[in-house]
């Protein structure tokens, strides 16, 4: 259920992949020779490897604790995205470039990553592990581990980096796949749209599927700021790649073009053009899309004179959440904590100052009484019959609809299963289905496997999926009407 439910999430930025502007005071001042931005900057600012190791281990132990997960669960957060640098998970002999001389510093990191995952599980929170910094860097930003401004993952000299990245991802996949509350593995964060990226994605996913044949671990890929291109890539290879999810990041404050728009103009673009674009991309890939990073933050130039920035960003954030919830299977705020939790990049700040509603909208955890569940259950036969009648009526009027009508019982079976599964998510896990199309596809595969008439089953599996999706959406609508989320 962790992997298919609606993901209402937040990023745990600067835990296992440091960013200077997010780091707590203890990592910014204690015994350092100079200021720093990236992970390698931090290591080189430390007085010794021993100092770096002990300081990092204290950071991994204390920056995000079990108490933080209790706080997040209480706020309606049911998932976290966990950015990790390759240096924290690679075997020490595989450290490359400037990290090579810091072998031994990260010996304990692997264990602390799994402690974090375990602490999340205690509060029914799923974890999306994200390779945030790859060998050589998948983009030019300092969150890749260095401040050189170079992206060398796919450079002419980067073939070693590419193979090492794949080795690290396979190590992660093998370790993470069996863990119940690991909701996925993200291959690369915000990669440059290199000509080699598509093939890297496809080959890496194939190798992960071969390495974990009996476990359907969701694989997430970054859209390289091109949601159309990479949704089309996944759509083309969906059958062979199975449960793959597109991660798109949406910010409205970084670029000069963002600064030139007012908050009202941003909101109009968000709720019209961008919403349509995201909906179309999501529809191509069974709805397997999340907004892996977003924030309420707007540039000061976008705030109308005389208006309080907090109210403007609160209104904009509500509009964002509505779009993400209507078009995607999940969303993850950037980020949970900042250096002082004194600005809108911090979810802690946003919750404390009522910029984002609590519980966070989206239905991360659903609390409904038995009367509501009983009411939904009692309507099942009527809603199923109504949906079935509409389905048959439409196809009986189509020129080539006879075979569809003859197999419309598959629609009924899909509806029955979808309704039961949706209520099982609510009763057993206080959640709602988020990856509706994916789950429908998986149950349709079971339906096909159990059917003796493979030709008709194959040709009409879509009817089972269609019925399943209608039922889940009906249950979700009834839950929303009951005020469950």
């Amino acid at each position: 259920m962790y992997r298919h439910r609606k993901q209402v999430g937040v990023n745990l930025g600067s835990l296992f992949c440091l960013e200077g502007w997010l780091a707590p005071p203890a990592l910014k001042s204690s015994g350092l020779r100079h200021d720093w931005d990236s992970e390698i900057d931090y290591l080189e600012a430390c007085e010794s490897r021993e100092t770096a190791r002990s300081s990092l281990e204290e950071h991994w132990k204390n920056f995000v604790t079990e108490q933080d997960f209790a706080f997040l669960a209480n706020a309606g957060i049911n998932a976290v995205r966990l950015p990790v640098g390759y240096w924290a998970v690679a075997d020490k002999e595989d450290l490359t470039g400037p990290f090579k001389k810091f072998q031994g510093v990260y010996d304990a990191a692997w264990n602390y990553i799994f402690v974090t995952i375990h602490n999340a599980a205690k509060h029914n929170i799923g974890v999306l592990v994200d390779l945030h910094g790859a060998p050589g860097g998948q983009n030019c930003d300092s969150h890749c581990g260095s401040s050189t401004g170079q992206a060398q993952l796919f450079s002419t000299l980067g073939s070693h980096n590419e193979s090492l990245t794949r080795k690290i991802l396979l190590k992660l996949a093998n370790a993470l796949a069996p863990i119940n509350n690991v909701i996925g593995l993200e291959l690369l964060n915000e990669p440059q749209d290199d000509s080699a990226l598509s093939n890297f994605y496809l080959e890496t996913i194939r190798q992960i599927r071969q390495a974990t044949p009996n476990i359907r671990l969701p694989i997430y890929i970054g859209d390289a700021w091109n949601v159309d291109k990479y949704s089309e890539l996944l759509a083309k290879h969906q059958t062979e790649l199975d449960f793959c999810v597109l991660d798109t990041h949406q910010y409205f404050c970084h670029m000069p073009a963002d600064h030139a728009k007012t908050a009202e103009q941003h909101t109009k673009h968000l709720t019209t053009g961008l919403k349509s674009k995201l909906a179309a991309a999501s529809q191509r890939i069974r709805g397997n899309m999340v907004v892996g990073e977003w924030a309420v933050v707007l540039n000061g130039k976008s705030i109308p004179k005389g208006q309080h920035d907090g109210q403007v960003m609160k209104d904009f954030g509500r509009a964002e959440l509505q779009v993400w919830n209507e078009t995607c299977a999940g969303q993850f705020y950037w980020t949970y904590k900042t250096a002082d939790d004194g600005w809108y990049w911090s979810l802690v700040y946003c919750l404390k100052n009522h910029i984002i509603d609590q519980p966070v909208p989206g239905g991360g955890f659903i609390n409904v009484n038995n009367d509501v569940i009983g009411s939904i259950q009692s309507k099942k036969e009527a809603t199923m019959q109504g949906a079935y009648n509409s389905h048959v009526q439409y196809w009986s009027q189509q020129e080539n609809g006879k075979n569809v009508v003859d197999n419309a019982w598959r629609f009924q079976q899909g509806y029955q299963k979808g309704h039961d599964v949706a209520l099982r998510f609510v009763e057993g896990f206080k959640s709602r289905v988020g990856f509706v199309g994916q789950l429908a596809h998986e149950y349709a595969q079971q339906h096909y496997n159990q059917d003796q008439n493979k030709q008709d089953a194959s040709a009409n599996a879509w009817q089972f999926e269609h019925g399943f999706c209608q039922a889940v959406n009906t249950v979700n609508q009834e839950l929303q009407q009951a005020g469950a989320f």
Side-chain angles (χ1 to χ4, degrees):
M1 289 187 181
Y2 279 104
R3 293 173 178 179
H4 295 87
R5 68 181 177 180
K6 188 77 169 183
Q7 313 292 1
V8 179
V10 66
N11 284 270
L12 302 183
S14 206
L15 178 54
F16 295 104
C17 186
L18 296 182
E19 297 185 47
W21 70 287
L22 296 176
L27 285 186
K28 291 296 288 184
S29 58
S30 178
L32 300 180
R33 293 182 292 217
H34 53 75
D35 198 10
W36 60 274
D37 291 317
S38 68
E39 186 100 16
I40 198 66
D41 294 340
Y42 172 76
L43 295 176
E44 292 175 342
C46 289
E47 294 178 348
S48 66
R49 289 196 306 176
E50 290 71 23
T51 300
R53 175 171 177 152
S54 62
S55 296
L56 284 172
E57 289 181 8
E58 280 297 307
H59 175 64
W60 300 331
K61 181 179 179 181
N62 296 314
F63 188 52
V64 177
T65 68
E66 186 188 339
Q67 286 68 39
D68 289 288
F69 288 111
F71 169 80
L72 289 172
N74 188 59
I77 297 294
N78 70 3
V80 294
R81 182 170 177 261
L82 182 63
V84 298
Y86 93 89
W87 47 89
V89 295
D91 297 332
K92 66 172 63 176
E93 62 270 17
D94 285 331
L95 291 177
T96 187
F99 285 96
K100 195 172 185 65
K101 62 183 177 182
F102 293 100
Q103 288 183 351
V105 170
Y106 294 95
D107 284 355
W110 182 261
N111 181 63
Y112 276 108
I113 289 170
F114 286 88
V115 168
T116 301
I117 293 170
H118 180 64
N119 284 338
K122 293 178 183 178
H123 299 277
N124 293 323
I125 291 177
V127 181
L128 169 59
V129 177
D130 150 51
L131 188 60
H132 213 69
Q138 74 277 9
N139 63 44
C140 298
D141 294 329
S142 59
H143 62 234
C144 285
S146 72
S147 303
T148 63
Q150 297 180 325
Q152 296 183 320
L153 174 58
F154 298 116
S155 69
T156 53
L157 301 177
S159 58
H160 173 70
N161 288 333
E162 187 175 339
S163 61
L164 178 55
T165 300
R166 190 171 286 123
K167 177 182 178 181
I168 290 165
L169 288 167
L170 284 166
K171 176 183 178 181
L172 282 167
N174 279 299
L176 297 172
I179 301 176
N180 194 32
N181 73 311
V182 170
I183 60 177
L185 172 62
E186 183 156 358
L187 303 188
L188 292 172
N189 172 69
E190 296 180 358
Q192 287 187 349
D193 193 4
D194 192 274
S195 59
L197 181 61
S198 293
N199 285 335
F200 173 81
Y201 276 157
L202 295 174
E203 181 56 29
T204 302
I205 296 169
R206 290 185 186 114
Q207 290 192 25
I208 289 173
R209 293 294 181 233
Q210 290 171 2
T212 57
N214 300 317
I215 304 176
R216 185 182 274 114
L217 175 68
I219 303 299
Y220 288 61
I221 67 168
D223 71 352
W225 308 104
N226 193 336
V227 69
D228 286 335
K229 176 178 178 179
Y230 286 93
S231 63
E232 289 169 359
L233 176 74
L234 288 186
K236 182 179 179 182
H237 298 276
Q238 200 161 40
T239 301
E240 60 181 298
L241 301 181
D242 201 3
F243 197 167
C244 286
V245 182
L246 187 64
D247 175 11
T248 184
H249 294 177
Q250 299 295 330
Y251 291 115
F252 303 88
C253 60
H254 293 312
M255 308 302 291
D258 295 327
H259 305 169
K261 291 181 181 177
T262 65
E264 183 179 0
Q265 289 171 328
H266 277 301
T267 303
K268 183 177 181 180
H269 167 64
L270 166 73
T271 57
T272 55
L274 180 58
K275 180 179 178 180
S276 297
K277 187 184 186 75
L278 294 180
S282 182
Q283 188 174 14
R284 288 185 196 113
I285 51 177
R286 299 182 191 140
N288 288 0
M289 188 167 76
V290 300
V291 179
E293 292 185 20
W294 69 282
V296 302
V297 180
L298 293 170
N299 185 269
K301 295 178 180 178
S302 297
I303 308 295
K305 290 183 179 179
Q307 293 193 27
H308 189 270
D309 54 16
Q311 186 60 51
V312 173
M313 294 191 205
K314 179 176 183 176
D315 293 341
F316 185 63
R318 283 179 170 172
E320 287 179 292
L321 276 168
Q322 184 171 349
V323 171
W324 311 154
N325 285 329
E326 289 179 7
T327 60
C328 300
Q331 51 79 15
F332 298 79
Y333 195 81
W334 184 271
T335 182
Y336 173 44
K337 291 180 174 182
T338 60
D340 60 1
D341 289 325
W343 193 246
Y344 303 98
W345 290 108
S346 163
L347 181 66
V348 172
Y349 177 89
C350 288
L351 293 175
K352 179 181 177 181
N353 291 279
H354 309 291
I355 304 301
I356 294 177
D357 295 328
Q358 190 173 173
V360 178
F365 290 110
I366 294 174
N367 289 304
V368 292
N369 58 41
N370 290 333
D371 290 341
V372 171
I373 294 174
S375 175
I376 295 173
Q377 185 66 46
S378 69
K379 299 174 186 175
K380 174 183 173 181
E381 293 301 323
T383 58
M384 179 170 65
Q385 193 60 47
Y388 172 80
N389 289 343
S390 296
H391 179 72
V392 170
Q393 182 180 10
Y394 173 82
W395 283 103
S396 63
Q397 296 172 358
Q398 305 306 306
E399 184 176 350
N400 299 315
K402 184 178 184 304
N403 183 259
V404 175
V405 174
D406 289 345
N407 281 271
W409 60 272
R410 301 181 191 276
F411 176 92
Q412 275 188 313
Q413 285 198 356
Y415 194 101
Q416 174 96 24
K417 179 61 70 174
H419 200 281
D420 291 347
V421 168
L423 283 182
R424 198 182 308 146
F425 268 66
V426 178
E427 293 179 287
F429 216 52
K430 294 184 178 181
S431 297
R432 65 186 181 113
V433 181
F435 291 88
V436 181
Q438 177 65 35
L439 199 55
H441 175 72
E442 292 174 17
Y443 275 102
Q445 285 181 315
Q446 294 181 17
H447 171 78
Y448 169 82
N449 292 336
Q450 294 166 1
D451 198 306
Q452 298 298 316
N453 188 343
K454 297 302 184 188
Q455 183 174 350
D456 271 356
S458 178
N460 289 279
W462 67 271
Q463 290 203 67
F464 184 98
E465 293 186 31
H466 188 43
F468 187 103
C469 291
Q470 278 202 27
V472 172
N473 291 333
T474 296
V475 171
N476 282 341
Q477 288 168 9
E478 292 175 334
L479 287 169
Q480 189 169 21
Q481 290 167 4
F485 61 89

